[in-house]
Structure formats: structure tokens, C-alpha cells
Amino acid sequence: MNIAIICAMSEELHAVQQQIKMPLISQIDKAGNKYYKYSNEKNTVVAVVSGIGKVNAAITTQILLDNFDVDYVLNVGVAGSVSKVLSFGDVVVAKDLVQHDFDITTFGYKLGQIARLDTFSFQADQWLSDLLLDGLTSEKGLKNHNISYGRIVSGDQFINDAEKAEFLYDEFNAIACEMEGAAVAQVCYLNKKPFAVVRALSDMAGQASDDASHSFERLKIMAADCAALAIKQLLERI
Ligand code: SAH
């Protein structure tokens, strides 16, 4: 099986690379990013840092699909919690994703609806998401963390505002916010390619008097390590 793994930041990719116990066979540069290809008798993994935000994530996803023979796309990394019950290091597997900052509501569209697209949210692949959830729940390193399945929202904004976090929860029924997942999802949707998104929480997005930028800086490596455990478990299962 050929798996593509997209991380927004080098810290996230570093955590993932520690879990890929496969020989590195090539490094290919495209549009300023390095695509690391690993392979063994069973599987191939191509892993890349896309850069932060939806445009970077979209470019990278399309490059992956056009240049590598990818069966499944995974977006792995950290996120902010917009749920009241999930906290630092808890892991969220996306059921579906929405771009919360896509706003053409003035034309009567729902907030988040992409213009002229036949879906509101992008559904993650059920088989891959179930496999990730199964791996995460049996991972000893996460025994003190919640593993959740629900909606993730993405936008080109770092959320550090309790009111905005609450709005994202109320408006979208989201449990986590980040800046890339729904862009990866849209590109996969348009290319009819199955995908999954797994994120561990680095901050509370400004809720509960948490300064998200401080939490993020302090906890991003811990959270990236938690998210990367999903890859460890997945590679043992495929
Ligand atoms: N200071 C950072 C910027 C990080 S942006 C730098 O330049 O390196 C935050 C990254 O983590 C994004 O990739 C996003 O997907 C994720 N993220 C974590 N917490 C988030 C939050 N509260 N809101 C939005 N994105 C968040």
C-alpha cells in the first residue's frame, strides 16, 4: 500500500519520521518542499512538510497525487481544542472536515460551504479512520489520553479566542480546529482519493483562560508525538 503523510510543520514530520521504521529510498524536491519516500516489501510511505495554511496544504496534496502513486492520504499533526472536554495531548480522528473561514454567506450559502461544490463537509475514509482509531485506542503511550472521532474545522487563522472557539463548536459541531486538514480533504475529494486526518491537541484555542500561543509553543512537540503514534500503529496494521 502507498501512503502519503502530510504535516504542516517540520516538528510534526520529525515526530512522524521517528515512527517510520522503513528504509528511506529517495528525497525529491518540488515547489520548495522535500518529499521523503520510504519503502519496504509491504508498503511505501511518502512524507512531506507542506507548510502552514490551506494553500500550502492544497499545493502539497495535489503534488503528491500527481507525482506519487498514492493509495491513501493522511494529514497528521497538532490542533486546538474547541471542545470543552478534550485537552492537551488528546487525539482527534476526523469524521469530516469543513473550512470554517469560507464565507459567502451574503449569497445565502451556509458558513463554510464552498461555492458551487456538491458537498458541505469532506468525509474522511471510514476504513482508514477506523484503523487509526483502533490503533490509537490500543496504544499504551496514549492510555491517559482521550481518543475522539468527530468534525475538524480548518481556516487560515490561529484560533486563540474563547468566543471564537465556542462559535466553532456551536456553528459546526467541531471538536478541533487547525489550518490545513480541510484543504487536504478538498483536494482528495476532487481527486476521488481516500484520506484521513489525525490531530493531537496542543492548545485549547483560547478557552478556559488558556493562552493558545503559549500552550502551542510549550506543548507542540508533546502533541506531535501523540499524533505520530497513530502512524506507528497504522504501519503495524497495514
Ligand atoms: N508559530 C508558528 C505558527 C503555528 S500556526 C510557526 O510559525 O511555526 C499553528 C499550526 O498548528 C497550524 O499548522 C495549525 O494547523 C495547528 N494549530 C494548532 N493549534 C491551533 C489553533 N488553536 N488554531 C489553528 N491552528 C492550530
Side-chain angles (χ1 to χ4, degrees), residues 118-227:
D118 60 356
T119 187
F120 175 67
S121 71
F122 302 103
Q123 297 287 326
D125 183 71
Q126 195 68 58
W127 173 80
L128 186 56
S129 301
D130 284 346
L131 208 56
L132 287 166
L133 286 164
D134 186 53
L136 286 162
T137 46
S138 61
E139 168 58 45
K140 286 196 186 64
L142 294 171
K143 66 176 188 313
N144 296 323
H145 293 284
N146 277 301
I147 311 298
S148 296
Y149 180 58
R151 177 170 287 172
I152 295 180
V153 287
S154 311
D156 286 320
Q157 302 162 358
F158 183 81
I159 308 295
N160 187 8
D161 174 353
E163 250 175 57
K164 180 79 192 222
E166 199 165 320
F167 172 78
L168 295 176
Y169 177 80
D170 291 341
E171 173 78 14
F172 297 104
N173 201 16
I175 54 177
C177 64
E178 36 85 313
M179 301 176 67
E180 300 82 19
V184 171
Q186 184 179 347
V187 174
C188 288
Y189 178 79
L190 294 174
N191 286 270
K192 298 186 170 48
K193 197 54 82 176
F195 70 90
V197 178
V198 53
R199 299 271 182 164
L201 303 175
S202 56
D203 57 82
M204 298 297 292
Q207 301 184 93
S209 49
D210 166 55
D211 183 320
S213 63
H214 289 167
S215 303
F216 172 85
E217 290 302 349
R218 200 161 51 85
L219 299 172
K220 65 183 172 187
I221 305 289
M222 178 281 292
D225 286 342
C226 289

